[in-house]
Amino acid sequence: MKKFFLYVFLLIIFIASFFTIAQNMLFKKNVKRGQKFNLVKHRSNLSKPKSSTMRIPINWKKSSENLPYPMIKKYHKIWIYVSIRKQRMYIINKNKIIYTMYISTGIQDRTHATPRGVYHVQSERGKYFYSPSEKEGAYYWVSWLDHGKYLFHSVPTNKNKTFVKKTIKDLGVRPSSHGCVHLSLSDSKWIYQNIKYGTKVVIK
């Protein structure tokens, strides 16, 4: 009789231990899911545009989306997010993406990689430049770091203002710049005309 009660007691302990372990595993799983969800929400706030709005195939002369550019005067909390991994640039109002652009960032090496971090659009901008040291120029440039060194600008040109075919093909596909952010001709013009001095730029 004593052995029977001992077996029952041990069985109860085993069942209680099993449920405790199962609850702990479920709790940890839910916490991890919650952390992952919050991270995704922080990065994009689930407000991404539909992929069908993007222009396919990519056209280096035209806008990245088939939709009209946003009326910037309607928005009061504009900032820019550059995704090196996706080769996309997002125009964001508060936590909502209002426009997406194809880009090419810096080649991933010690000399040409686009700096990651938080910056702000600077006062320098122009309709065209040419850099003899880099042997490249571009239209519609806007500085966001080191006052003219790191820029948003169009796909590059040579000294004759002819667009460089090799880097044109990289737009939206792979990094190919010397550290700047390449944009289509239309997108770079819109940035030049609409993005104000002091606008926050986040590059990751």
Side-chain angles (χ1 to χ4, degrees):
M1 194 70 171
K2 289 182 180 180
K3 288 184 179 180
F4 173 76
F5 284 112
L6 179 62
Y7 290 144
V8 171
F9 179 72
L10 292 174
L11 180 62
I12 292 172
I13 291 176
F14 173 78
I15 293 172
S17 299
F18 174 79
F19 278 108
T20 300
I21 293 170
Q23 286 178 342
N24 287 338
M25 291 176 66
L26 183 61
F27 175 76
K28 289 179 181 179
K29 187 175 183 180
N30 287 335
V31 167
K32 289 181 179 179
R33 284 180 177 174
Q35 289 173 343
K36 184 177 181 181
F37 174 79
N38 289 336
L39 180 61
V40 172
K41 186 176 181 180
H42 175 72
R43 287 178 178 173
S44 65
N45 203 31
L46 308 179
S47 300
K48 295 182 179 179
K50 295 180 180 180
S51 58
S52 59
T53 66
M54 299 302 292
R55 188 181 299 278
I56 300 174
I58 298 170
N59 188 319
W60 64 271
K61 294 180 180 179
K62 297 182 179 181
S63 60
S64 292
E65 291 194 25
N66 291 311
L67 300 176
Y69 289 112
M71 297 293 292
I72 206 71
K73 292 181 179 179
K74 292 172 54 178
Y75 304 99
H76 305 288
K77 295 184 178 180
I78 293 291
W79 60 286
I80 294 172
Y81 176 75
V82 175
S83 172
I84 292 176
R85 182 175 67 85
K86 294 183 178 181
Q87 294 295 283
R88 299 288 185 273
M89 188 167 92
Y90 304 98
I91 311 301
I92 302 173
N93 182 62
K94 196 175 179 179
N95 292 313
K96 183 179 180 181
I97 296 172
I98 60 174
Y99 207 84
T100 302
M101 296 178 175
Y102 294 119
I103 61 170
S104 286
T105 53
I107 299 168
Q108 297 297 299
D109 59 30
R110 293 181 180 181
T111 307
H112 301 113
T114 300
R116 299 171 189 258
V118 179
Y119 310 101
H120 292 84
V121 170
Q122 298 176 322
S123 60
E124 297 85 0
R125 66 180 65 205
K127 292 185 177 181
Y128 185 80
F129 78 92
Y130 180 77
S131 171
S133 61
E134 300 292 349
K135 297 181 180 180
E136 282 188 352
Y139 289 91
Y140 304 114
W141 60 273
V142 175
S143 178
W144 49 268
L145 179 63
D146 289 350
H147 300 283
K149 182 176 180 181
Y150 292 100
L151 316 170
F152 298 121
H153 62 70
S154 72
V155 289
T157 70
N158 59 25
K159 64 180 180 180
N160 298 319
K161 296 187 177 181
T162 301
F163 290 97
V164 181
K165 292 182 179 180
K166 183 179 179 180
T167 51
I168 283 173
K169 294 179 181 179
D170 293 329
L171 186 67
V173 178
R174 64 183 64 84
S176 64
S177 81
H178 296 147
C180 294
V181 178
H182 292 173
L183 298 151
S184 75
L185 187 59
S186 180
D187 289 350
S188 63
K189 184 176 182 179
W190 186 87
I191 293 291
Y192 167 78
Q193 293 177 334
N194 291 276
I195 297 301
K196 296 179 180 179
Y197 167 78
T199 300
K200 184 171 72 172
V201 178
V202 178
I203 300 179
K204 292 185 179 179

